[in-house]
Amino acid sequence: MKRRDKKSLPFAVCTKNVGRKNKAKYERCVMKVKATVNEAKLCPKGKAAAKRKFSVYPSAYANMYASAVCSGKVKPGGKKNEAYERLGSLLIEKKSPAWQRSEGKNPEGGLNAKGVASYRAANPGSKLKTAVTTKPSKLKKGSKSAKRRKSFCARMGGMKKRLTSSKTASDPNSRINKALRKWNC
């Protein structure tokens, strides 16, 4: 029996279904099989781009990047196409907003101006403001800032009692105690 090389094996389907007598049909069948066989392979340009970008090449992320380069969704070493930003978000880790990190928090408690601005950007329509740090004796009774301070102190005082552990409630450096001190509660 004749031995076939691996490349000719997929075309056996064409000889079985169409036969070699009808040459036009056979060639069309071969072209279809070639197209399906080549779909699974990555183009050399994509492999090279993935090898440059990732330290470990045969990995899931590297293959995903290589297939995106081959299909034209991503330009190698360049900017992403606008339609395929989702792929970039999988490959590149984004920073969390400033209000969730230490640079948006005031060391004395609460958020600083940068933290408040980043919170407003992340939550459109928010009316978050910085703390009322004026002493209660200096505030006019019934003014907006006096009402904000009174409301905050009542709300956070309840949270301190009910929603924190005894260790956190008694710790002077906990975020809730710092915030209460800053608001002069």
Side-chain angles (χ1 to χ4, degrees):
M1 187 174 184
K2 237 183 186 181
R3 258 187 130 182
R4 294 182 183 169
D5 58 328
K6 289 183 180 177
K7 289 184 180 176
S8 65
L9 284 175
F11 307 125
V13 175
C14 296
T15 44
K16 190 176 181 182
N17 294 345
V18 179
R20 287 194 180 244
K21 291 179 183 174
N22 191 342
K23 197 170 186 178
K25 279 186 179 179
Y26 176 75
E27 285 177 6
R28 268 186 263 138
C29 179
V30 167
M31 293 302 282
K32 283 182 184 176
V33 170
K34 277 185 181 178
T36 56
V37 168
N38 288 339
E39 276 181 15
K41 293 182 181 177
L42 294 172
C43 65
K45 185 180 178 182
K47 281 184 181 177
K51 285 178 183 177
R52 279 192 306 271
K53 187 169 177 106
F54 295 94
S55 58
V56 178
Y57 167 64
S59 68
Y61 286 115
N63 284 336
M64 185 172 65
Y65 180 76
S67 66
V69 169
C70 289
S71 63
K73 295 175 184 176
V74 176
K75 292 179 185 174
K79 294 181 180 176
K80 300 181 290 287
N81 293 350
E82 289 176 24
Y84 298 99
E85 276 190 35
R86 186 177 61 117
L87 179 72
S89 66
L90 293 173
L91 298 175
I92 301 165
E93 190 177 318
K94 292 182 180 177
K95 274 190 171 180
S96 58
W99 63 275
Q100 293 177 349
R101 289 180 283 137
S102 60
E103 69 185 53
K105 295 178 183 176
N106 192 327
E108 291 141 25
L111 295 176
N112 58 21
K114 186 175 183 178
V116 170
S118 73
Y119 182 85
R120 281 189 184 159
N123 301 292
S126 171
K127 296 178 182 177
L128 185 70
K129 297 175 184 173
T130 52
V132 177
T133 56
T134 315
K135 290 187 178 178
S137 60
K138 303 276 183 185
L139 289 171
K140 278 188 178 178
K141 273 196 170 182
S143 66
K144 273 189 176 180
S145 49
K147 286 178 183 176
R148 276 187 67 220
R149 189 194 144 278
K150 185 178 177 184
S151 171
F152 178 85
C153 291
R155 189 171 62 249
M156 291 305 280
M159 284 186 187
K160 182 180 172 182
K161 285 179 188 172
R162 293 180 193 87
L163 299 176
T164 59
S165 65
S166 59
K167 184 181 176 184
T168 305
S170 61
D171 179 18
N173 291 326
S174 67
R175 294 298 299 174
I176 195 162
N177 284 333
K178 284 181 176 181
L180 289 167
R181 268 198 311 274
K182 186 172 184 180
W183 283 74
N184 296 309
C185 296

